[in-house]
């Protein structure tokens, strides 16, 4: 009996270990996930909505109960995880939580920091200043968008290619100290000009025909060469305006040259009409905004660039027939172009921006946007030439729509006398025209106009920590 046991026990152990080794481990990780650390205020608030694509079962773990996570787990596939925070009632300390997303053998972390709540004490009001105007003191810090106007925030007021056409967008090349502007002219064409900050000399320009409004563009520098990312292939409507672009093009900037829609050498097709585009080259992101739908879709730029170039038939467009247009008679045509079909790539973030209205029912205009570090910066507002302040707002959201900064007014536009004294506008006309993020600062553009009907490109600079 003892001999039999001495033989069986090793066999049983060998069998047990063999079974454990043969157990398959085919669990996968995440095929798509974008997380970033968050800083939020003390109030109950949305931290963010996070889109994940998992190859197997996944879960989210957080040891702190002040973060509410929904859902906390799920099967393989694409899912939206929403994280909200309760109010921090500790008026002395910030608090921090680590959120861990796990799938298969892969784990990703993000840190959420919530600021301490305010200490509210009754304070007797101090006597106010004597009646009458008084100059606004210069801010000791880098200006915020909630600050009154000061020379410290005034980055540039520059001469445009033509003084009679409205600036549409801008970007800045700090290597060469150059501001690039887009200007709509004669509806069918736009100018992209390049000049130094504050220059009063007419800048040289490049002309683009039939592209559209060029209401947003991004400057890319590659080996010292400048490239412009912009929407393309728009169509003329009944009013003669060009809208409805479905293509994003990357074109080399060449001063003095002219290019038509179908001459763009690099194209990306998204299948949605009436879009504009912003690109974060360093952050590997491209975002398009649907002007008609409000769709805000973000993609990995490297995934789009990896797509094959193929023949794509675009929707019909109508163009030409205007004086000085490349086509003397109006043409309606469906072009076949060489492009990358971006409808084959899944976005890493998406949400819808709602349309706002003024109290009189008028729709608030969208005025350009930027994508940087996984955040979407967007301007809204309109220009007033009646001597009243022009309304302008900035909002910041993450790529899934989580609010970082709600629509917040640009306070400096209220300071009409200060804007006049600075030589920017004497009638209050400051139509917002885009926002760009560079380094620690954000730059907000305005199509400023004076009583002589001279239009210029004005840019304010603010600390990127503009959430105040």
């Amino acid at each position: 009996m003892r001999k039999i046991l001495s033989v069986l026990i090793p066999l049983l152990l060998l069998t047990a270990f063999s079974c454990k080794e043969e157990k398959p481990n085919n669990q996968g990780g995440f095929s798509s996930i974008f997380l970033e650390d968050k800083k939020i205020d003390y109030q109950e608030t949305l931290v963010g909505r996070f889109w994940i694509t998992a190859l197997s079962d996944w879960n989210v773990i957080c040891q702190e109960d002040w973060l509410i996570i929904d859902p906390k787990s799920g099967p393989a596939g694409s899912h939206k995880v929403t994280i909200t925070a309760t109010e921090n009632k500790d008026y002395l300390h910030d608090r921090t939580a680590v959120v861990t997303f796990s799938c298969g053998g892969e784990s990703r972390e993000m840190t959420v920091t919530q600021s301490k709540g305010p200490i509210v004490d009754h304070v007797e009001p101090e006597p106010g200043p004597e009646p009458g105007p008084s100059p606004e003191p210069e801010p000791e810090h880098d200006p915020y968008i909630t600050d009154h106007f000061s020379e410290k925030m005034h980055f540039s007021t520059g001469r445009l290619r033509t003084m009679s056409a409205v600036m549409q967008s801008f970007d800045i090349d700090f290597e060469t100290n150059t501001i690039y502007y887009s200007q709509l002219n004669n509806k069918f064409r736009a100018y992209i000009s390049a000049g130094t900050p504050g220059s009063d000399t007419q800048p040289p320009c490049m002309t683009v025909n039939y592209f559209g409004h060029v209401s947003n563009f991004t400057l890319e520098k590659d080996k010292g060469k400048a490239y412009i990312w912009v929407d393309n292939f728009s169509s003329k409507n009944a009013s003669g305006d060009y809208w409805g672009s479905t293509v994003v093009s990357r074109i080399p900037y060449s001063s003095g040259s002219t290019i038509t829609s179908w001459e763009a050498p690099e194209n990306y097709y998204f299948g949605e009409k009436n879009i504009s585009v912003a690109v974060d080259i360093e952050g590997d992101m491209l975002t398009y905004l649907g002007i008609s739908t409000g769709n805000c879709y973000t993609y990995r730029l490297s995934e789009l660039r990896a797509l094959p170039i193929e023949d794509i038939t675009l929707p019909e467009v109508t163009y030409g027939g205007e004086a000085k247009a490349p086509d003397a008679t109006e043409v309606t045509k469906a072009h076949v172009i060489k492009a990358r079909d971006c409808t084959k790539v899944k976005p890493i973030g998406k949400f819808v921006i709602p349309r706002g209205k003024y109290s009189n029912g008028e729709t608030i205009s969208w005025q350009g946007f930027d994508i940087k570090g996984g955040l979407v910066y967007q301007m809204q507002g309109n220009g007033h030439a009646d001597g009243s302040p022009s309304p302008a707002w900035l909002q910041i959201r993450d790529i899934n729509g989580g609010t970082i900064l709600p629509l917040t007014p640009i306070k400096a536009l209220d300071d009409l006398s200060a804007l006049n004294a600075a030589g920017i506008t004497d009638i209050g006309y400051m139509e917002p025209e885009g926002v760009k993020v560079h380094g620690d600062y954000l730059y907000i553009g305005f199509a400023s106009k004076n009583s002589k009907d001279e239009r210029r490109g004005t840019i304010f600079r603010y600390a990127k920590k503009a959430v105040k």
Side-chain angles (χ1 to χ4, degrees):
M1 183 67 175
R2 189 173 299 170
K3 277 187 177 183
I4 294 172
L5 289 174
S6 65
V7 173
L8 286 177
I9 289 173
L11 287 173
L12 290 171
L13 290 173
L14 178 61
T15 302
F17 282 112
S18 297
C19 291
K20 185 174 183 180
E21 289 171 0
E22 292 173 359
K23 183 178 180 181
N25 182 14
N26 58 1
Q27 287 187 327
F30 297 104
S31 65
S32 175
I33 184 171
F34 177 80
L35 303 177
E36 60 177 356
D37 294 344
K38 296 280 188 176
K39 290 184 178 180
I40 57 176
D41 64 23
Y42 72 97
Q43 296 174 319
E44 181 179 349
T45 187
L46 173 70
V47 176
R49 300 181 179 91
F50 305 89
W51 286 92
I52 65 171
T53 301
L55 301 177
S56 62
D57 291 350
W58 57 274
N59 63 61
V60 186
I61 297 174
C62 180
Q63 301 300 325
E64 304 293 335
D65 60 5
W66 54 272
L67 285 183
I68 301 169
I69 302 169
D70 182 35
K72 291 185 176 180
S73 61
S78 296
H79 304 270
K80 179 177 71 175
V81 178
T82 301
I83 302 179
T84 55
T86 60
E87 182 180 355
N88 185 7
K89 297 183 178 180
D90 183 345
Y91 301 138
L92 299 176
H93 304 99
D94 296 348
R95 59 185 181 182
T96 301
V98 176
V99 183
T100 304
F101 288 68
S102 299
C103 180
E106 182 181 4
S107 293
R108 303 284 187 92
E109 288 187 350
M110 63 176 289
T111 301
V112 180
T113 303
Q114 188 177 36
S115 63
K116 59 181 178 289
I119 300 176
V120 182
D121 292 325
H122 177 71
V123 178
E124 290 295 331
E126 297 181 2
E130 292 296 321
S134 60
E136 188 69 27
E138 185 81 9
E140 297 178 0
H141 56 267
D142 285 326
Y144 299 111
I145 61 172
T146 49
D147 285 342
H148 287 279
F149 177 79
S150 71
E151 286 295 336
K152 194 169 185 178
M153 70 178 60
H154 186 194
F155 179 75
S156 174
T157 294
R159 175 76 156 79
L160 300 172
R161 177 63 184 182
T162 172
M163 301 282 273
S164 60
V166 181
M167 165 185 156
Q168 296 294 316
S169 186
F170 75 99
D171 208 342
I172 308 170
D173 180 0
F174 289 95
E175 293 179 5
T176 60
N177 194 35
T178 304
I179 301 176
Y180 289 74
Y181 307 94
S182 64
Q183 254 182 302
L184 190 63
N185 194 52
N186 287 16
K187 296 189 177 181
F188 70 88
R189 70 182 176 187
Y191 294 143
I192 301 176
S193 59
T196 55
S199 173
D200 199 36
T201 303
Q202 184 184 56
C205 76
M206 176 181 184
T207 302
V208 294
N209 290 322
Y210 307 144
F211 275 59
H213 263 62
V214 193
S215 56
N216 211 69
F217 72 87
T218 296
L219 170 71
E220 176 190 1
K221 294 296 292 294
D222 185 10
K223 299 177 182 178
K225 178 71 176 176
Y227 294 86
I228 304 295
W229 290 82
V230 64
D231 58 288
N232 191 2
F233 278 95
S234 59
S235 184
K236 182 166 62 172
N237 62 20
S239 302
D241 295 308
Y242 283 73
W243 289 101
S245 53
T246 57
V247 172
V248 169
S249 295
R250 178 180 181 262
I251 58 175
Y253 178 81
S254 178
S255 177
S257 67
T258 299
I259 184 173
T260 56
S261 284
W262 46 87
E263 293 173 328
E266 186 177 347
N267 301 297
Y268 299 79
Y269 173 69
F270 288 92
E272 179 171 338
K273 296 184 70 172
N274 208 15
I275 62 175
S276 60
V277 65
V279 183
D280 179 1
I281 304 297
E282 295 79 12
D284 192 30
M285 293 185 189
L286 180 149
T287 301
Y288 84 71
L289 177 59
I291 305 301
S292 302
T293 62
N295 290 335
C296 192
Y297 282 30
T298 299
Y299 300 81
R300 285 288 178 204
L301 180 59
S302 54
E303 289 188 48
L304 302 182
R305 284 180 147 169
L307 289 167
I309 298 174
E310 54 189 291
D311 287 335
I312 294 178
T313 302
L314 302 181
E316 260 188 4
V317 291
T318 299
Y319 56 93
E322 301 91 345
K324 299 183 180 181
D327 298 87
T329 58
E330 188 175 283
V331 179
T332 298
K333 181 178 178 179
H335 288 81
V336 179
I337 66 167
K338 298 289 186 183
R340 294 177 170 91
D341 187 356
C342 302
T343 63
K344 298 177 179 179
V345 175
K346 183 174 182 178
I348 60 173
K350 58 182 181 179
F351 65 98
V352 176
I353 299 179
R355 280 284 183 182
K357 292 184 180 296
Y358 295 106
S359 57
N360 63 1
E362 178 187 353
T363 300
I364 301 173
S365 297
W366 289 352
Q367 301 287 6
F369 70 108
D370 199 13
I371 172 71
K372 190 70 70 173
L375 299 180
V376 177
Y377 298 73
Q378 190 217 13
M379 289 298 300
Q380 298 188 20
N382 296 83
H384 285 176
D386 57 2
S388 64
S390 295
W393 296 268
L394 171 72
Q395 69 170 346
I396 307 173
R397 301 189 183 207
D398 64 32
I399 60 173
N400 289 306
T403 299
I404 308 300
L405 177 73
L407 276 174
T408 302
I410 311 302
K411 185 67 175 177
L413 302 192
D414 294 343
D415 300 335
L416 299 180
S417 60
L419 294 173
N420 185 20
I424 298 173
T425 178
D426 58 348
I427 56 175
Y429 190 95
M430 293 285 285
E431 182 176 2
E433 296 291 359
V435 56
K436 299 296 176 187
V437 182
H438 290 284
D440 293 330
Y441 296 94
L442 60 89
Y443 299 79
I444 298 178
F446 302 91
S448 55
K449 184 172 70 171
N450 59 23
S451 55
K452 297 178 182 179
D453 206 29
E454 297 172 333
R455 299 176 183 270
R456 298 180 183 270
T458 294
I459 299 172
F460 290 170
R461 188 183 83 161
Y462 296 95
K464 193 166 68 173
K465 49 187 178 182
V467 183
K468 183 177 180 181

